[in-house]
Every structure is written in C-alpha cells, then in structure tokens.
Amino acid sequence: MSQLLENKITQTISPNTVPLKRRRNERSHQAILTAAVELLQEKGYREICIEAIASRAGVGKQTIYRWWSSKAAVIMEAYSARAIQNIPTPDTGSVKQDLCQILSQLFAVLTTTTTGEAIAGLIAELQMDASLASSFRKQFIECRTEATRTILERGIARGELRPDSNLELVIDTIYGPIWYRLLLKHGTLDDPFAEELVNFIILGIQA
C-alpha cells in the first residue's frame, strides 16, 4: 500500500517538474542561438567568442559547452536553420536557367548577409574537427547539392544533358569555384559569374 502511494505521488509530480526544466532548457538554447546571430551581425565571425555569446544570452559559459563543443558548433547550428536549409529548387523548364537561379540565390545569401563570412570562418575551423566537418556537410552542403542534383536529373530527362553525365563530378565542378572565391576573395559572386559558370558546365555535358 505504501509503495502504491509512493508511485502515485511520483506520477503526479513528474508531469509538472520535467516540462518546466525542459522549457528552461529550450529558452536558454534559443537565447544562445539568437545571441550568436546578433553578435555575428554586429562584430563578424572572428571577433566573437563563447564568453561574449554567453553574456549576451544571459547564461553561463558552461551552459554553452554542455550543448556545443566550440564557437563554430554554435554558429553552425544558428545559421543552418536560417540561411541554408529549405533551398528552393527552380523549375523553369530549362536546366541552364534553373542552375543560374539557384546560384543567384546562393550568391545573394553569401554576399548580402553575414552568412558568407560565417561560412568562411567555419570552413577554416572544420580542417581541425572531422566531426564538425561532417555536420557542416550535412547541414550546409547536402541541401544545396541535392537541389542541384534534382535540376540536373530533370535536364537529363528532358534530353538537355547527356544521360551518362557524372553528376557528382558536375556538382563538384559547379560549387568548387564558388567556395574558392568565397575563401580567397579574388573574384566576385554575382549573376554574370553565375551565368558564365553555368555556360561553361553546360558545354561539357549537353546532349
């Protein structure tokens, strides 16, 4: 009887206490991500640190390290939900126009927001963290390459591109020069470059 009463009390308390803790964690989690984005917009990637994010979010530094291993991990999660996910896939009926549009969308994100600087900073840090590099590919790269693969497959189905095209190589050839320009800043990321790059690619794989 005593054990039954104890179990009943435990069942009554748990639904009230667990959600409260979860709500506090969720508020802190979101506050940290928001603080990271705000600081990026104000100071840039290189000028912020875990201490600054914690102070802005109103949490202890140890709270951040409980959920993320580094500044790069915080920034990656903050931006993956804002700028790179849910990539629209154009469908104009022309593989060339579709590719130009998807690249133009990417260039706008990289050049008119703080995303470009954040990604450049992340790529530098990924060289020393294989786990973070894997997460970066999944959160930032794969959504873009899958949309591009869809465009290329439609081009093959419509007879615009050779059916034996190596799509993995084509995708690498498209995005390699983009990341190269983003990191080395030796050339622009704009619509004329998008069109020139797409024309170059199409010449090699058109039917």
Side-chain angles (χ1 to χ4, degrees):
M1 185 68 160
S2 174
Q3 184 63 49
L4 289 175
L5 181 59
E6 182 179 344
N7 289 343
K8 185 175 181 60
I9 292 172
T10 301
Q11 292 168 4
T12 302
I13 292 174
S14 296
N16 294 325
T17 57
V18 174
L20 179 60
K21 182 178 180 180
R22 187 179 299 120
R23 286 198 298 271
R24 284 200 301 267
N25 287 342
E26 289 172 355
R27 285 197 297 270
S28 296
H29 189 276
Q30 188 55 52
I32 292 166
L33 296 180
T34 300
V37 172
E38 290 175 352
L39 287 169
L40 275 167
Q41 293 171 343
E42 296 170 12
K43 299 178 179 295
Y45 184 86
R46 289 176 294 181
E47 300 301 320
I48 65 174
C49 59
I50 289 291
E51 289 79 2
I53 296 173
S55 177
R56 175 67 64 92
V59 302
K61 186 169 63 173
Q62 67 277 10
T63 300
I64 294 180
Y65 283 120
R66 188 185 308 142
W67 293 321
W68 296 279
S69 60
S70 64
K71 176 184 79 172
V74 179
I75 300 304
M76 188 165 65
E77 182 171 341
Y79 266 89
S80 65
R82 289 170 176 259
I84 303 298
Q85 298 288 359
N86 301 318
I87 301 301
T89 306
D91 189 3
T92 64
S94 163
V95 67
K96 177 180 175 180
Q97 292 303 315
D98 289 348
L99 289 174
C100 284
Q101 282 193 24
I102 200 170
L103 294 188
S104 180
Q105 293 162 4
L106 175 60
F107 293 171
V109 170
L110 294 178
T111 60
T112 65
T113 72
T114 56
T115 301
E117 182 185 354
I119 289 180
L122 286 171
I123 289 174
E125 296 199 34
L126 299 180
Q127 310 313 306
M128 300 174 286
D129 190 330
S131 176
L132 199 61
S134 176
S135 296
F136 179 85
R137 287 193 297 272
K138 290 178 181 178
Q139 296 183 40
F140 282 86
I141 304 300
E142 289 181 6
C143 55
R144 180 72 58 179
T145 56
E146 284 305 309
T148 305
R149 183 178 288 102
T150 296
I151 291 172
L152 294 171
E153 288 173 346
R154 286 198 307 240
I156 291 173
R158 290 194 298 260
E160 296 177 83
L161 306 178
R162 295 203 318 264
D164 63 344
S165 299
N166 184 336
L167 297 190
E168 295 302 320
L169 180 58
V170 173
I171 291 170
D172 283 350
T173 305
I174 292 172
Y175 286 100
I178 296 171
W179 304 129
Y180 183 67
R181 288 195 174 203
L182 177 69
L183 293 175
L184 298 187
K185 305 185 187 308
H186 73 289
T188 58
L189 293 173
D190 53 20
D191 288 347
F193 173 59
E195 185 173 0
E196 185 176 5
L197 178 60
V198 169
N199 285 337
F200 178 79
I201 299 297
I202 294 297
L203 281 176
I205 59 174
Q206 62 186 356

